[in-house]
Amino acid sequence: MVIVRSIDGATQIIYKNKQNIHLATGLNANYELSESSIKRGIECLALFAERLNGFPAENVRIVATHTLRIAKNRHQFLIAAAKILPYPVEIISGQEEARLIYLGTMTAEPTSSLDTKFVMDIGGGSTEIAIGKGNDLKPLIVGSRPMGCVTYTKQFFPQQLINKISFQKAKLAAEQQIESMINIVKQQGITVAFGTSGTIKSIHNILLDLGVNDGIITPKRLDDLISYVLEFKSFHDIDYPSLSTERKHVFVSGLAIFCGVFKALGLQALQYSPSALREGVLYELIDGPNYRDVRQSTAESLSQHYNIDKRHANQVVKTAKYFFSQWQHQSSITITPNLESILYWAAQLHEVGLKINFSSIHKHSSYILKNSNLPGFNEEQQLLLSTLVRFHRKSIKIDELPYFSLFEYKHIIVLLQILRLSVLINNQRNSDLDLNAFQLKITNNKLTKITLEINKKIVKHNKLILLDLEQEQKYWEAVNNWQLSIKTY
């Protein structure tokens, strides 16, 4: 945990607390977290919660990475966390983690505008790689691979014994994980490389222990270090002044991963950077471009890539904003701007799958949004985006809605209803449609029961809209507690 304050555009760290709980060690063969590992994680968060007491929600961001990404019972952890933390825990994708690591490193390290920059981070369960060029803080290439110092210790060094064969197997496994990236990365012409977090920090510090004044990792220095380490019989025997007892348990496996990646990519020099994921999160939270802006750029990029009809998409977004404003003025509950914005991105991107075919556009679009790399979106935001698009037309299968820990079901339903109506009344793709002719009303204070009042003049000249709405009524009737009423005035 890092707490900082912003002073005249600069950040000042006022508190740091690090607890190594090695959550990944609690994963079994079925990718389920043990009760003891969940307990360790919750106890750590409870400790942090004491220090965060009184902080406004908009000033706090909590992100979770690899272990919770893959844990099948992660909801058990998130539910327990919600009981002690008044702030949401966001699970971010591996690509998003790589982007934030790159951002954190590049905002701290001096580089040339002509440089092609490489950043690598070896965590407990995954390794992230990012490459960017010039002064752009957005990387061109991001990658995340399921190899980490904790998981590789369990896989290749279960007894924590050191031997050349086990080390070589771990190294080759790491090379295999990045095999598909090797040629792409080499083609970029990397001019400066950075490594962050525990494993690379330990390699850097041990080189300093061995008399390497600058601590820069080169092929020769790495080979020498590996030779020294392989002389020890077990993890516990490793004896370097800078290597803590706790780090000894995972250092050898982390070194094998680093060696595999470093050699496979043909890197010639890499320096340690103390800035990584936390700094990237802080940068966006405090004085950098807000991460919602990153998501808007992502949406626009997708829109361009899939040649979405921009005029039509903008009209659907405009309609969604119009209906949402009417709904919010009548509702007793409040939907946050952060959640509201996902509605508008869903409206913007609902036709992203049109290139495949129209008849199942909602399914194709949802699949693309669910499985694409969407910088700026955490996992649940991306899942919600794809879910809204999945059910923006045709039948509504409420029992297929996924579980969300960050969003309430009643809020999701509101967004879905508004999105469906916004898309429907724009089916004719008429940019001259007068939105003022439509009035959305909440029926009898029931949030899922909507009345749509339509001016008779619009109905007279747009009879297909009325037919579409009558079909939509049937879809709503099939859902418990949903109701759509149509009135003309």
Side-chain angles (χ1 to χ4, degrees):
M1 177 174 66
V2 178
I3 299 176
V4 305
R5 63 177 178 175
S6 181
I7 305 173
D8 297 328
T11 58
Q12 180 183 72
I13 295 176
I14 60 174
Y15 183 81
K16 264 190 176 185
N17 192 322
K18 182 176 182 179
Q19 302 286 322
N20 287 315
I21 60 171
H22 297 308
L23 199 62
T25 60
L27 286 169
N28 62 21
N30 296 319
Y31 298 104
E32 294 172 332
L33 281 170
S34 65
E35 292 290 341
S36 60
S37 63
I38 291 176
K39 183 181 178 183
R40 289 199 309 273
I42 297 303
E43 287 175 348
C44 174
L45 291 179
L47 188 67
F48 290 173
E50 291 180 14
R51 185 64 181 83
L52 292 172
N53 185 36
F55 274 64
E58 63 270 20
N59 288 0
V60 179
R61 191 175 180 200
I62 303 171
V63 298
T65 55
H66 177 78
T67 301
L68 287 186
R69 279 199 292 268
I70 66 172
K72 291 182 178 178
N73 60 338
R74 64 183 182 178
H75 301 314
Q76 184 179 340
F77 184 96
L78 294 173
I79 290 170
K83 293 178 181 178
I84 60 166
L85 277 171
Y87 316 104
V89 176
E90 301 177 43
I91 300 175
I92 57 175
S93 68
Q95 291 88 349
E96 177 65 0
E97 183 179 356
R99 182 189 73 83
L100 288 168
I101 289 167
Y102 183 86
L103 176 63
T105 304
M106 288 303 105
T107 53
E109 299 296 337
T111 58
S112 165
S113 60
L114 302 177
D115 278 327
T116 298
K117 307 157 190 179
F118 172 92
V119 178
M120 173 185 181
D121 185 302
I122 301 172
S126 65
T127 293
E128 278 65 49
I129 291 171
I131 299 169
K133 292 181 182 290
N135 294 324
D136 192 352
L137 294 176
K138 182 179 179 181
L140 297 173
I141 298 171
V142 291
S144 178
R145 296 294 183 267
M147 53 183 183
C149 56
V150 174
T151 53
Y152 266 40
T153 295
K154 290 172 65 177
Q155 183 176 352
F156 297 102
F157 306 93
Q159 306 301 319
Q160 299 202 357
L161 299 177
I162 301 174
N163 62 75
K164 192 171 184 178
I165 294 175
S166 296
F167 188 89
Q168 188 67 9
K169 285 182 178 179
K171 173 179 171 290
L172 288 173
E175 290 182 23
Q176 188 177 28
Q177 284 288 347
I178 64 159
E179 187 176 13
S180 62
M181 295 185 69
I182 293 174
N183 288 334
I184 297 173
V185 171
K186 285 184 175 181
Q187 290 169 6
Q188 303 307 310
I190 295 165
T191 58
V192 59
F194 298 95
T196 69
S197 298
T199 290
I200 297 172
K201 179 181 180 181
S202 295
I203 296 173
H204 167 83
N205 287 339
I206 291 173
L207 288 178
L208 294 178
D209 292 340
L210 295 172
V212 177
N213 293 331
D214 55 16
I216 294 175
I217 304 167
T218 64
K220 175 65 167 59
R221 292 171 179 178
L222 181 59
D223 287 339
D224 289 344
L225 175 58
I226 292 169
S227 296
Y228 298 149
V229 170
L230 291 179
E231 290 178 3
F232 296 104
K233 300 298 181 184
S234 74
F235 287 16
H236 305 288
D237 296 333
I238 302 175
D239 186 22
Y240 294 110
S242 63
L243 193 65
S244 68
T245 301
E246 193 165 24
R247 178 55 59 175
K248 286 181 182 181
H249 296 298
V250 294
F251 175 69
V252 178
S253 55
L255 178 63
I257 293 170
F258 178 81
C259 179
V261 176
F262 189 90
K263 294 294 183 65
L265 297 181
L267 299 177
Q268 296 304 305
L270 182 142
Q271 53 191 299
Y272 167 68
S273 172
S275 298
L277 176 61
R278 284 170 297 187
E279 287 72 21
V281 172
L282 282 168
Y283 181 79
E284 289 194 329
L285 194 59
I286 299 175
D287 60 351
N290 187 279
Y291 72 95
R292 282 184 286 274
D293 292 336
V294 174
R295 292 181 294 176
Q296 182 58 42
S297 298
T298 296
E300 291 170 358
S301 177
L302 266 180
S303 179
Q304 293 173 6
H305 181 76
Y306 288 97
N307 295 319
I308 288 176
D309 182 342
K310 188 174 181 179
R311 182 192 58 77
H312 174 64
N314 288 342
Q315 182 65 19
V316 177
V317 172
K318 180 181 177 182
T319 305
K321 289 181 177 180
Y322 175 74
F323 282 154
F324 182 85
S325 175
Q326 291 185 333
W327 178 90
Q328 189 68 86
H329 281 118
Q330 302 170 62
S331 174
S332 58
I333 65 172
T334 300
I335 290 179
T336 65
N338 187 35
L339 180 55
E340 178 189 347
S341 62
I342 296 178
L343 165 64
Y344 305 140
W345 288 315
Q348 182 178 355
L349 299 170
H350 73 282
E351 287 192 336
V352 76
L354 185 58
K355 269 190 172 181
I356 301 174
N357 69 47
F358 176 75
S359 63
S360 295
I361 183 176
H362 51 306
K363 296 179 181 179
H364 299 317
S365 296
S366 176
Y367 180 85
I368 290 171
L369 294 173
K370 185 177 180 180
N371 293 282
S372 296
N373 172 28
L374 302 186
F377 288 82
N378 65 43
E379 280 202 349
E380 284 211 2
Q381 291 167 344
Q382 183 166 354
L383 180 59
L384 177 58
L385 178 65
S386 68
T387 299
L388 291 175
V389 170
R390 168 64 180 83
F391 297 110
H392 83 265
R393 66 193 291 267
K394 300 280 182 131
S395 59
I396 307 157
K397 299 176 181 177
I398 290 298
D399 57 342
E400 292 185 10
L401 288 180
Y403 169 83
F404 292 95
S405 63
L406 299 181
F407 311 115
E408 293 186 55
Y409 175 81
K410 62 183 179 182
H411 294 164
I412 294 172
I413 294 305
V414 170
L415 301 188
L416 181 55
Q417 290 183 336
I418 291 175
L419 177 63
R420 290 179 68 93
L421 292 175
S422 300
V423 172
L424 185 147
I425 71 167
N426 285 288
N427 275 345
Q428 309 308 309
R429 301 178 109 80
N430 180 7
S431 59
D432 297 327
L433 190 65
D434 182 10
L435 291 181
N436 292 319
F438 299 86
Q439 301 298 319
L440 185 147
K441 304 286 181 64
I442 297 175
T443 308
N444 300 325
N445 293 320
K446 303 290 185 181
L447 295 180
T448 57
K449 297 184 177 182
I450 299 295
T451 297
L452 192 62
E453 298 179 355
I454 312 174
N455 188 291
K456 291 180 180 179
K457 292 181 180 179
I458 290 292
V459 174
K460 182 179 179 180
H461 298 288
N462 297 273
K463 293 181 180 180
L464 283 176
I465 288 180
L466 196 57
L467 288 174
D468 288 341
L469 284 169
E470 288 172 355
Q471 175 60 54
E472 183 70 2
Q473 283 180 305
K474 296 177 182 178
Y475 288 136
W476 287 40
E477 286 172 3
V479 183
N480 189 34
N481 290 325
W482 281 38
Q483 179 182 306
L484 175 62
S485 302
I486 309 298
K487 292 183 179 181
T488 57
Y489 66 92

